[in-house]
Amino acid sequence: MAGFFDRFRNPEPEPVRAELTREGYEEVLGLLRTDNKILAIKRIRELTGMGLLEAKNLSEAIEAGRWAPAPDGSLADRVRELVAEDRVADAVRMVAQETGMTEDEASRFIGSLDQG
């Protein structure tokens, strides 16, 4: 019996959590598209160290199209690229979507960036 109670006295450390990478996202999305939801959740847990409920919620968000890994580069860098291409409206929309800002706030944010 002593062995049973030892695990409560000295719990194992929680695994290190990591972000789901683009490659991991693609793998999980492929599993979800082939109706392998349980394997998708298991793979999320393996890749990130998430708990079961977190991994399930993330898999449902991925399946519903509400989550994707962050694009490469900072938001400011991506905004600068769009502005340089004279796509200011797209930049405003992107900032608003990714940050939850209103379009006016996003526009002010873009205006405050140095364009260098």
Side-chain angles (χ1 to χ4, degrees):
M1 278 289 191
F4 176 77
F5 292 108
D6 283 342
R7 71 179 193 197
F8 295 110
R9 284 187 212 114
N10 300 316
E12 290 184 30
E14 286 193 29
V16 176
R17 293 186 179 210
E19 292 292 318
L20 188 61
T21 63
R22 169 121 351 241
E23 294 80 22
Y25 168 81
E26 296 295 337
E27 182 180 349
V28 167
L29 186 60
L31 290 169
L32 291 169
R33 286 181 175 160
T34 58
D35 224 14
N36 289 309
K37 293 179 184 186
I38 292 172
L39 289 175
I41 293 168
K42 181 179 178 183
R43 190 65 183 136
I44 290 171
R45 294 187 71 198
E46 290 169 351
L47 294 170
T48 65
M50 285 183 178
L52 181 60
L53 182 58
E54 291 172 301
K56 178 184 177 287
N57 290 341
L58 180 56
S59 73
E60 289 172 351
I62 290 170
E63 188 173 31
R66 294 188 315 264
W67 190 92
D72 295 333
S74 71
L75 177 61
D77 290 340
R78 290 182 283 127
V79 165
R80 286 184 187 106
E81 287 176 22
L82 288 172
V83 170
E85 296 171 3
D86 202 27
R87 296 175 52 201
V88 177
D90 291 337
V92 169
R93 228 178 344 271
M94 180 179 68
V95 170
Q97 287 174 346
E98 290 189 24
T99 65
M101 292 180 186
T102 66
E103 288 191 359
D104 286 339
E105 292 168 332
S107 184
R108 285 194 302 274
F109 167 78
I110 291 167
S112 71
L113 291 176
D114 60 41
Q115 300 302 318

